[in-house]
Amino acid sequence: MNSLARKVGEFNKDPDWVIDLRIEAEEFIDKASYPPFLPRLELEKFNPLKQEVPIEIPEIKSLDDLPEDIRNLLKKMGVPEHEWAKVLGLLQVDETSTTSSFLDYFDKLGLEVLPMSEALRRYEWLKEYAFKLMPYRENKYVAYHTAYWSGGAFIRVKKGVKVKIPVHAYFLITESALAQADHAFVLAEEGSEVTFIEGCTAPPLARFSAHLGATEIYVEKGAKVRGVVLQNWPHYVHTRPFTHGVVEEGAELHLVAAVLGNGASAGRYELIDVVGKGGKAIVESISFTKKKEVLGDYIHINLKAPDSSGLIVTKAVTRDQGENTSATVIRADKNARGSRGHIECAGLLLTPGGKHETYPVLSSETGNVHLDHEAYVGRISEEALEYMRSRGFSEETAITMLIKGYIQPILKHIPFEYVMEIMRIAEMVASGEA
Amino acid sequence: MSEFRVENLFVKPKEADEVTVRGIDLTVKSGELHVIMGPNGSGKTTLSLGIMGSERYEIVDGRILLDGEDITDLPMEKRALKGLFIAYQAPPEVKSVNFLTFLREGLKIRGKNGDNSLIKRAFARVGLDEEFLERELYVGFSGGERKRGEMAQLLLFYPKFAILDEPDTGVDVDSLKLIAGTINEALEKGTGIVLITHYARILELLPDFYHVHVLIGGKFRAHGGPELAKSIEKSGFEGLSS
């Protein structure tokens, strides 16, 4: 059997069940369909084992070779410089470095962080969790991901542990930038709380021109998870990130995404099932789509338990020839009595030539729910612009103020140090510099 | 002492075929109050937005001078920073822009400290609750609240010259008093004011040294003082149109 999936699995030293799953998924790729709303990516063009990008990527041999954004990030995190070498180990996807003092530090917080493949070897019980939220039959990208994934982090917050500071799993950036299809896994045990940050406001040095990462998030009874995702992909990269979450009784999953650069094309897929009474799912995103970028968003919340709630808020800014499609769905099944759902989609077109489409969908199988949506697509009001100019603001400044105000409600859920950088990028988008 | 001058001004709304302001001359000095009165459709709003530099209007002929400098072709924002202000008759809702941020930034670009106490004082002066500062600019504001918002900006931005486009239309007696009080304060601080109004009732609350210009069919048909305003209040614009 000349299976590429087997090769990847053996290289990763996967347990047998993972290798079997990879092979099944690989065999399904050709039969799988493309998901709706996301831009289509011809996967045949990409070799999951071959790093291939149209630019030179510096090799990182010493601390001096660290990209500026990673250096800044490490400084911001307060990582002492003598620890950076260990980070380098992770940069090279060297799994032996997991004894790093970072991980000890996380451990003390009651937080277990491991490379995903190591976690799969270590914990047999993961068989009941990993890849369960996203069956490979779902679509072509998930099938591809399941067959060829490598890299990614396993994060477990132990029962009742409330992690006060946001966890920046910095190696998530580097690994997800290095790997083509990283697999992240978050398990928040009963009553625990955590905020994790993934990505960076600066473009990573991506080594593949296609990225099909996936994240599975389990939020157990009464737990709270907030995930902040920052993305700014270089112009040559196609990305199709998938996030699947499940929310139990009284638990909350809050995902906040800031998509600052879409690369060549981006298709984000987020699916959350609220399965426990009073569970809550919130997905908020801001996105800037400019030049010839194409972004497709598909966000879906299933309310499957009484008194549960779902909230989706998207704020898109499109300029130049950017194309942005945003599909949002809240579905309440027959068990969801007393539940509430709200969708708010706004698209702002800064220049002619771009395109924004929004598809909000509400569906219910029970009468006793309240679901509603508001959607808006349009240009900045000429009247408002004139008014701002009459007060002395140049058109550019006025547009910047309008954009900043527009994304403000979502920014308040993003840690402050990133907000400044996002604001700066918003200014660049307003002026057409970015 | 500053001087604002309009010379032989002709203005056309861009989407209209007709030139609706036809040869206006006006000179306003610091601390002076000039009242423009005229029936509906006489060109009052076209004149004020033309002077301010709105791109919805075209200056067909004539000049606008601020302290001798020709500002006829300057973009709106530059005129504003040189000290020209307009209080809109019906300012628009500006979604996503927080009122407080707007005022602070507005002070900042005028080289002033965006001090909250200053802003709160201006709001108190026009009788607007501070809670409005936390809202999006004019979103969900009533007509009267918007007019007070405009007057608060008149106090805060402290312009050299201000055109007030019907600040008294559709407001109750209490609001009228607050608005008149604001105009008085701005005049005392030296702002030269052009007040556009239909009614003489606000004039009773203002100092009686004002000049009246009657605008009909895009031209000034009469000039005078408070007595002219009173006669218009009594017998309308009849007899003034030739």
Side-chain angles (χ1 to χ4, degrees), chain A residues 86-152:
Chain A
K86 285 177 181 161
V87 182
L88 265 184
L90 286 162
L91 280 173
Q92 290 164 353
V93 202
D94 173 1
E95 291 188 3
T96 58
S97 64
T98 53
T99 51
S100 153
S101 59
F102 285 101
L103 304 187
D104 296 343
Y105 174 62
F106 287 145
D107 203 44
K108 272 180 212 139
L109 297 175
L111 192 69
E112 188 179 16
V113 181
L114 291 172
M116 187 60 194
S117 52
E118 191 179 322
L120 285 168
R121 287 194 294 276
R122 190 180 291 188
Y123 297 124
E124 211 173 316
W125 55 263
L126 261 180
K127 194 176 175 180
E128 304 305 318
Y129 290 81
F131 302 95
K132 289 287 186 221
L133 293 184
M134 34 177 298
Y136 63 79
R137 288 171 191 280
E138 201 165 274
N139 61 58
K140 221 181 239 316
Y141 303 131
V142 175
Y144 187 97
H145 172 89
T146 309
Y148 306 124
W149 73 273
S150 72

Side-chain angles (χ1 to χ4, degrees), chain A residues 312-388:
Chain A
I312 301 173
V313 181
T314 66
K315 302 249 183 181
V317 178
T318 307
R319 65 170 299 139
D320 312 320
Q321 282 82 52
E323 282 186 29
N324 186 320
T325 306
S326 141
T328 48
V329 183
I330 295 183
R331 187 159 278 157
D333 78 4
K334 54 187 184 305
N335 299 316
R337 63 194 173 277
S339 293
R340 304 178 72 83
H342 179 66
I343 296 176
E344 197 181 319
C345 298
L348 201 56
L349 286 157
L350 293 189
T351 60
K355 190 170 145 190
H356 182 93
E357 290 183 339
T358 168
Y359 302 89
V361 176
L362 299 172
S363 144
S364 178
E365 289 173 13
T366 169
N368 189 11
V369 291
H370 183 88
L371 304 178
D372 60 15
H373 74 75
E374 31 183 319
Y376 166 84
V377 176
R379 281 180 55 91
I380 287 176
S381 140
E382 293 290 334
E383 264 192 314
L385 260 190
E386 177 187 302
Y387 184 78
M388 306 266 296

